[in-house]
Amino acid sequence: MLRGLIFDKDGTLFDFGGTWNSWARDVIADLSGGDAARARALADAVRFDLDRGGFHPDSPVIAGTNREAAELLLTQLPGHDLAGVESYLAEAAAKAPLVPATPLAPLLRELSEARGLHLGVMTNDAEFSARRQLRAAGVDGFFPFLAGFDSGHGAKPDAAPLLAFARQTGLAPDQIGMVGDSTHDMLAGRAAGMTCIAVLTGLAPREELAPHADVVLPDIGHLPGWLARAG
């Protein structure tokens, strides 16, 4: 029986496309300074389709860290430095228009209070952005553990940040479920010895996630029903 759940953020708690597509379009427009050729080059660097207004499924930004996104953009931003671009992205991400994958507060209340589960978040985003976003969504109080790629535990697909959650809660890894929308999430969960729960609110399709997951759910709103069936 699971006693804890650690969630990815983007594509899991929040719908990826609904939250990040418009944000990315605005960031590219801002960084390009109105230069259409530079905007196209920036979009290509992060595998964003300007015409369609969405990330390509193979974009390294989807599961990558804030720093990795900054490094990609920096290739098309002569005269800028990595620290400056990374800081800009963190500040911009903290104000992203959040689209929850499902009504979050009722779900998290059921999981934490009615079911007594320990809850946490591990994101490859910056911790600063993640805290701001969870606070804006009114759900930060449900997550005593929150780690970003820059919190000192490493980044997914490494297992270390998930094991940090296990240590904080005092739970064994096999008592914890890793809930995420990418193969990075599933690989991290598997390496940590946790149950791997995939959701389809990111850009990865079922056939990509299923080989690495113990179960694939449409979204996190299906967790209570699955937990009840799983015992």
Side-chain angles (χ1 to χ4, degrees):
M1 180 179 294
L2 296 182
R3 296 180 57 199
L5 294 172
I6 183 161
F7 292 86
D8 172 55
K9 176 172 66 71
D10 303 318
T12 302
L13 293 174
F14 303 108
D15 179 84
F16 189 91
T19 297
W20 295 106
N21 284 345
S22 61
W23 174 86
R25 188 169 53 245
D26 291 345
V27 162
I28 290 168
D30 190 23
L31 289 175
S32 69
D35 183 324
R38 177 162 293 177
R40 186 71 60 180
L42 288 167
D44 289 344
V46 294
R47 296 289 293 146
F48 184 84
D49 187 330
L50 279 179
D51 299 319
R52 183 175 55 84
F55 281 97
H56 292 285
D58 64 351
S59 170
V61 171
I62 295 169
T65 67
N66 188 59
R67 183 165 300 154
E68 288 168 339
E71 289 171 343
L72 291 170
L73 291 169
L74 191 62
T75 63
Q76 304 300 324
L77 292 171
H80 290 68
D81 63 272
L82 180 61
V85 176
E86 188 177 354
S87 177
Y88 166 82
L89 291 179
E91 291 282 352
K95 297 178 282 189
L98 304 172
V99 179
T102 194
L104 292 177
L107 171 66
L108 297 172
R109 188 172 297 111
E110 177 178 355
L111 294 173
S112 62
E113 297 177 10
R115 294 183 176 272
L117 297 174
H118 296 271
L119 305 181
V121 171
M122 196 288 131
T123 174
N124 278 353
D125 196 0
E127 180 180 335
F128 165 80
S129 302
R131 289 194 181 279
R132 284 274 298 269
Q133 291 163 357
L134 293 175
R135 190 178 307 123
V139 296
D140 53 315
F142 290 104
F143 300 108
F145 179 92
L146 191 159
F149 83 96
D150 54 355
S151 298
H153 306 299
K156 297 172 292 188
D158 188 52
L162 306 190
L163 294 175
F165 173 68
R167 288 193 299 273
Q168 178 171 304
T169 58
L171 299 176
D174 63 5
Q175 295 176 302
I176 299 170
M178 170 68 221
V179 189
D181 68 297
S182 73
T183 54
H184 270 40
D185 298 321
M186 300 299 101
L187 292 172
R190 191 68 69 212
M194 298 178 178
T195 297
C196 296
I197 305 165
V199 291
L200 299 175
T201 40
L203 298 186
R206 179 182 295 272
E207 55 269 24
E208 181 178 322
L209 295 169
H212 308 285
D214 294 296
V215 64
V216 181
L217 303 176
D219 58 60
I220 57 173
H222 291 256
L223 278 169
W226 178 76
L227 288 167
R229 292 191 300 273

